[in-house]
Amino acid sequence: MRISVAIDGPAGAGKSTIAKLVSKEFNLMYINTGAMYRAVSLMAKENNIEPSDIEKLKDLIDTLEMHFENDDLILNGINVQDKITMPEISSIVSNYASIPEVREKLVNLQRKMSEKYDVLMDGRDIGTVVLKNAPFKFFLTATAEERAKRRFNELISRGIEVNFDTLLSDIIKRDFIDSNREVDPLKMAEDAIEIDSSNLSIKEVTEFICNYIKNKLQ
Ligand code: DC
């Protein structure tokens, strides 16, 4: 039987950092589903395809081959991980991720990956939609201020100049769009375990999740 772990939560809650550590511990393929929505947004931007142009977007997605190598997204053979995490993609991605046709195509791809590998997926709708039957579901939260602080420090450490207030308002705006869209909104699954990481270190959250999984597997 395949093992699958779902980690959902809002932007900047620490999902990807923790997901990478937990997936290594249990030898799972880490699928960063946010990266897949970002890749679609990047390609749409480069090809001047607006979110309203659904047919062009669907055709575009059919030309995209996505897989993960060392936790990075490889898009049509090119590592685009740095490009897709730039603020100019963060500020448009929710508009593309709220389109039902885009979601349907990406959810299908994600499910195919989970049939092929033991996976740890992070995102917004993994526990509620993509891997509804996952035996392990976590919902990671933190205050908007704490999440903006973490994104700020991460971007600054990469040498990318950003303004804290802009980041905070972008996070609040994205939370709103992600939680209020009609299709598959950001929502905690009823059987997920909620972890508020505002006052916890990465190590503490990772240990909690790993111990929980180990105890259940025994
Ligand atoms: O986790 P992230 O910030 O990289 O996600 C980028 C965007 O993609 C975010 O605004 C919400 C969207 N997303 C989604 O709608 N469903 C997912 N499973 C993952 C991300």
Side-chain angles (χ1 to χ4, degrees), residues 15-55:
K15 295 186 301 293
S16 64
T17 308
I18 286 154
K20 283 177 196 169
L21 295 167
V22 176
S23 59
K24 299 272 169 316
E25 180 76 22
F26 296 98
N27 209 12
L28 304 172
M29 164 83 81
Y30 168 45
I31 311 284
N32 176 344
T33 63
M36 297 171 75
Y37 288 95
R38 286 170 180 272
V40 169
S41 309
L42 171 74
M43 293 309 278
K45 186 171 190 266
E46 288 188 351
N47 289 284
N48 294 317
I49 304 175
E50 293 293 324
S52 54
D53 206 340
I54 311 270
E55 287 311 312

Side-chain angles (χ1 to χ4, degrees), residues 15 33-34 37-38 93-94 97 103 123-125 174 178 181:
K15 295 186 301 293
T33 63
Y37 288 95
R38 286 170 180 272
V93 60
S94 286
R103 303 201 68 80
R124 304 294 188 287
D125 58 342
R174 271 211 287 156
D178 293 343
R181 67 174 175 236

Side-chain angles (χ1 to χ4, degrees), residues 27-129:
N27 209 12
L28 304 172
M29 164 83 81
Y30 168 45
I31 311 284
N32 176 344
T33 63
M36 297 171 75
Y37 288 95
R38 286 170 180 272
V40 169
S41 309
L42 171 74
M43 293 309 278
K45 186 171 190 266
E46 288 188 351
N47 289 284
N48 294 317
I49 304 175
E50 293 293 324
S52 54
D53 206 340
I54 311 270
E55 287 311 312
K56 275 197 183 156
L57 271 175
K58 279 164 63 181
D59 290 346
L60 172 78
I61 297 174
D62 288 339
T63 68
L64 305 180
E65 190 281 323
M66 299 188 220
H67 67 274
F68 289 87
E69 274 175 31
N70 301 321
D71 302 332
D72 285 355
L73 180 67
I74 312 297
L75 174 66
N76 292 345
I78 295 167
N79 186 328
V80 292
Q81 194 64 35
D82 278 343
K83 243 181 173 179
I84 59 176
T85 47
M86 295 298 274
E88 55 266 32
I89 299 300
S90 303
S91 64
I92 59 168
V93 60
S94 286
N95 301 328
Y96 291 97
S98 57
I99 300 167
E101 290 82 353
V102 169
R103 303 201 68 80
E104 193 187 331
K105 284 196 180 275
L106 292 194
V107 168
N108 274 337
L109 279 177
Q110 290 154 12
R111 287 193 179 134
K112 280 203 184 111
M113 290 172 173
S114 76
E115 282 160 15
K116 227 165 139 189
Y117 306 102
D118 286 337
V119 294
L120 185 158
M121 271 188 201
D122 73 1
R124 304 294 188 287
D125 58 342
I126 310 303
T128 51
V129 177

